[in-house]
Structure formats: structure tokens, C-alpha cells
Amino acid sequence: MNLAAIMDEAAGVLTTITGLRVTAWPPGSVVAPAGVVSYPDRIEYDQTYGRGVDRIAGIPFVLVAGKATERSARNTVAGWAAGSGSSSVKAAMEAHTWTSCDDLTVTRCSFDVVTIAGVDYLAAMFEADAIGSGRG
């Protein structure tokens, strides 16, 4: 698997969520609503014999909704965090037919307030694991 290819493909999937501007790497700045695919926690090699499978664990997708004090930001992150629906990150990622890996599974979502250019934004932070051939 190629990390850059997975990050690019994940960003492409996130752009299918209406109104979301997405980058496939951490940018210098964002304009909400925005999504950022960032770098994983780790790559685990040789999960099966003979370089059969590698695993990329903890790939973060950070989605910034709007000002933390706005009800609309809460409603937006609720849609992103839902297990299904047209704005669900989990549903979009897991319905996609992956070409950069064999499979990608969204494993968790957490929430935080992040400060960007002096403004506090509500963020939904997702993690995913990808598996695929260790030979490619």
C-alpha cells in the first residue's frame, strides 16, 4: 500500500459529503466546513506470512464544522458522526470501493474544539484503519 495514495483517495471520498472542502494533507489554513486527511499513528508490516498484508492504523480525518458556540455546528458534526446517512463519514468511507487498499474501516469518532486563526471551531475527529497487500 502507498500511504499518499490512501490519503488522496480518502480525501476524494470525503468530498462526496455536500459542502465539505477537503485536503489530503494538513494545510496551512482551512475555511469551515473543511476536512483534513492527516498522517496515521503507525504502519504495521507483515500482518500475514510472506508480506501478504500490511495495516495502516489510526488514519485521522479531522472535520471542522463552524464556530463551537453555534447550534448549526453541532448539527453538522452530528450528521458527520452518524453511522448512516448522506453526510455520514463512516457510511461514505465504508461504502466506497477502494483501489489504494483492500479495505478501510472507520473505527472511532471523537470531538474537540480547535482554534484556527483565533477562532474556536467545533471539530469531529475520525480514525480509520486500512489493510492491503504488503507487496504493492
Side-chain angles (χ1 to χ4, degrees), residues 1-92:
M1 293 186 298
N2 179 285
L3 176 60
I6 292 170
M7 291 171 74
D8 287 344
E9 190 169 358
V13 173
L14 288 173
T15 63
T16 67
I17 297 174
T18 302
L20 194 58
R21 291 175 287 277
V22 183
T23 61
W25 61 88
S29 64
V30 298
V31 176
V36 175
V37 179
S38 195
Y39 301 100
D41 288 338
R42 65 195 176 280
I43 298 175
E44 299 171 353
Y45 301 106
D46 305 326
Q47 297 295 290
T48 61
Y49 180 74
R51 296 285 302 124
V53 173
D54 287 347
R55 178 174 174 249
I56 299 178
I59 305 167
F61 314 128
V62 179
L63 279 61
V64 179
K67 290 183 180 177
T69 56
E70 295 175 350
R71 179 185 287 185
S72 62
R74 182 213 53 189
N75 294 345
T76 298
V77 297
W80 291 339
S84 62
S86 62
S87 60
S88 167
V89 169
K90 183 168 180 64

